[in-house]
Amino acid sequence: MSRFLSSRLSRLGTYVPGEQPQDRQYIKLNTNESPYPPAPLTEEKVREALWQLHLYPDPDCRALTKALAEYNAVLPEQILCANGSDDILSYIFLAFGDAKRGFSFPDITYGFYQVYGDFYSVPYRKIPLREDFSLAPEDYFALDSGIILANPNAQTGLALELKQIAAIAEKNPDQLVVVDEAYVDFGGESAAALLPEYDNILVVRTFSKSRSLAGGRLGYAIAGKELIVDLNTVKYSINPYNVNRMTQAAGIAALQEDGYYVDCCKRIMSTRESTKKALQALGMEVTDSKANFLLAHHASIEGEALYRSLKERGILVRHFKDQRIRDWIRISIGTEKQMARLVAEIGAILE
Ligand SMILES: *Cc1c(COP(=O)(O)O)cnc(C)c1O
């Protein structure tokens, strides 16, 4: 670090993204991207947008917002687009957190919640998941902070039922309940259905996982109009042009070719289930994931050792150092072929 870095920043940890080594070709199963490319129309729409790159994008993303509103059966005033859902999460901490009003979230979940809490000096409390990694809704009843839940949850893949989220919103009428639905298209139920009943729910979505657009950076919020106004206050104080022209075009194209992505998600879910069975047959314990990844471990090998052996064999998976999951690895679901290779390599490593 330079001698100019603020003392506040020099003390903070940052989010650590999954590695992207360039030394050789890997089967990349470490960042929960889709193994399938964007649908055909994307190229044409993005190409059209290229010829308007001399002009700023629409800061309100009106065409995309309208399409998203129709897709989700809400009003355009209930949608806000941003540069990935990380951007939305950052706005949430800025808009609704301060030194007095913090957030609670599970001890095992998406790592960025903690990073934003530290970065924006918003206090947070980590509520331990149960022994089996499931979340006890009662632990979130009548809290004195906002709540952030990834559903399905990051790292574990376990999903809450809508009635459990409704119960949490019900028991915290004066707190914001953020539901991060990065993985909802792989078998979860969207809390967007609860919005008419609960004005304290804010849903966060991304095109990165189920819409094959991780490289495009597109996320959005769905909530009551007032919450969206608040998020816009942050957006218009930082960078109103947060979604570039090509990405707005790609997002609209993705909604037009929804069937393609629904098929991709079905394939990924079916590959997930077959991979899960194959790993169990090797003696691994695997969580009941409703996401595009599996969390797995084997009693005879440490998580880090398994991660390293797989990397040596050309397969990248994710290993986390958090105490409770340090003996597990998180495996993104790739193509059938990639997963067959993964299972074969794990089998060979365990022998
Ligand atoms: C991947 C992920 C995100 C970030 O998604 P982007 O839209 O790519 O920024 C947010 N939350 C969870 C739980 C995720 O897994």
Side-chain angles (χ1 to χ4, degrees), residues 183-253:
Y183 303 109
V184 75
D185 295 320
F186 303 103
E189 287 177 284
S190 177
L194 300 173
L195 291 175
E197 230 180 308
Y198 300 98
D199 66 356
N200 56 334
I201 291 183
L202 194 164
V203 174
V204 183
R205 292 269 186 80
T206 177
F207 280 66
S208 293
K209 316 277 161 66
S210 62
R211 275 4 186 214
S212 301
L213 276 182
R217 313 304 303 129
L218 181 59
Y220 63 105
I222 321 175
K225 291 182 204 174
E226 293 81 7
L227 290 173
I228 297 297
V229 167
D230 296 343
L231 291 177
N232 263 309
T233 304
V234 176
K235 163 168 162 157
Y236 277 83
S237 306
I238 298 181
N239 177 11
Y241 303 115
N242 59 344
V243 186
N244 70 65
R245 276 186 180 272
M246 294 164 294
T247 296
Q248 291 190 30
I252 293 167

Side-chain angles (χ1 to χ4, degrees), residues 75-288:
L75 300 169
E77 295 79 14
Q78 293 183 264
I79 302 269
L80 177 98
C81 297
N83 195 322
S85 55
D86 288 337
D87 213 17
I88 299 277
L89 292 168
S90 155
Y91 294 175
I92 289 170
F93 274 83
L94 282 168
F96 308 114
D98 59 35
K100 290 209 183 84
R101 284 187 311 170
F103 287 102
S104 296
F105 43 82
D107 60 340
I108 301 170
T109 189
Y110 187 44
F112 235 129
Y113 309 149
Q114 169 171 352
V115 171
Y116 281 137
D118 291 334
F119 187 68
Y120 294 130
S121 302
V122 172
Y124 54 84
R125 177 151 78 100
K126 294 190 195 180
I127 300 182
L129 296 174
R130 294 186 184 115
E131 196 61 38
D132 64 358
F133 298 146
S134 63
L135 183 150
E138 317 82 81
D139 291 351
Y140 291 80
F141 289 175
L143 296 186
D144 56 359
S145 72
I147 294 165
I148 308 184
L149 302 172
N151 190 45
N153 196 11
Q155 317 339 348
T156 69
L158 301 187
L160 288 169
E161 290 173 32
L162 270 200
K163 61 171 192 251
Q164 297 178 303
I165 292 181
I168 291 170
E170 179 105 35
K171 300 279 188 184
N172 295 278
D174 297 322
Q175 301 294 349
L176 185 66
V177 179
V178 176
V179 187
D180 181 345
E181 297 190 337
Y183 303 109
V184 75
D185 295 320
F186 303 103
E189 287 177 284
S190 177
L194 300 173
L195 291 175
E197 230 180 308
Y198 300 98
D199 66 356
N200 56 334
I201 291 183
L202 194 164
V203 174
V204 183
R205 292 269 186 80
T206 177
F207 280 66
S208 293
K209 316 277 161 66
S210 62
R211 275 4 186 214
S212 301
L213 276 182
R217 313 304 303 129
L218 181 59
Y220 63 105
I222 321 175
K225 291 182 204 174
E226 293 81 7
L227 290 173
I228 297 297
V229 167
D230 296 343
L231 291 177
N232 263 309
T233 304
V234 176
K235 163 168 162 157
Y236 277 83
S237 306
I238 298 181
N239 177 11
Y241 303 115
N242 59 344
V243 186
N244 70 65
R245 276 186 180 272
M246 294 164 294
T247 296
Q248 291 190 30
I252 293 167
L255 293 169
Q256 286 173 356
E257 291 181 291
D258 192 51
Y260 168 87
Y261 296 102
V262 171
D263 281 347
C264 288
C265 290
K266 281 193 190 140
R267 274 168 84 177
I268 290 166
M269 286 187 273
S270 132
T271 311
R272 177 187 70 208
E273 295 311 309
S274 55
T275 305
K276 182 178 170 187
K277 283 209 189 85
L279 293 176
Q280 286 170 331
L282 292 174
M284 294 193 92
E285 187 180 352
V286 188
T287 59
D288 181 24

Side-chain angles (χ1 to χ4, degrees), residues 279 283-287 295-301 303 306 327-329:
L279 293 176
M284 294 193 92
E285 187 180 352
V286 188
T287 59
L295 188 70
H297 97 121
H298 196 282
S300 73
I301 185 165
L306 183 52
D327 269 335
W328 297 70
I329 55 169

Side-chain angles (χ1 to χ4, degrees), residues 337-351:
K337 204 171 149 202
Q338 290 175 322
M339 301 320 276
R341 219 349 252 298
L342 169 96
V343 171
E345 296 293 359
I346 293 184
I349 292 165
L350 290 174
E351 251 174 34

Side-chain angles (χ1 to χ4, degrees), residues 297-325:
H297 97 121
H298 196 282
S300 73
I301 185 165
E302 285 182 352
E304 180 145 16
L306 183 52
Y307 151 78
R308 280 191 196 291
S309 303
L310 284 169
K311 187 171 174 184
E312 277 162 21
R313 291 161 183 260
I315 301 178
L316 289 178
V317 298
R318 191 86 197 258
H319 174 252
F320 296 92
K321 296 207 187 307
D322 309 57
Q323 191 57 40
R324 288 187 72 184
I325 51 170

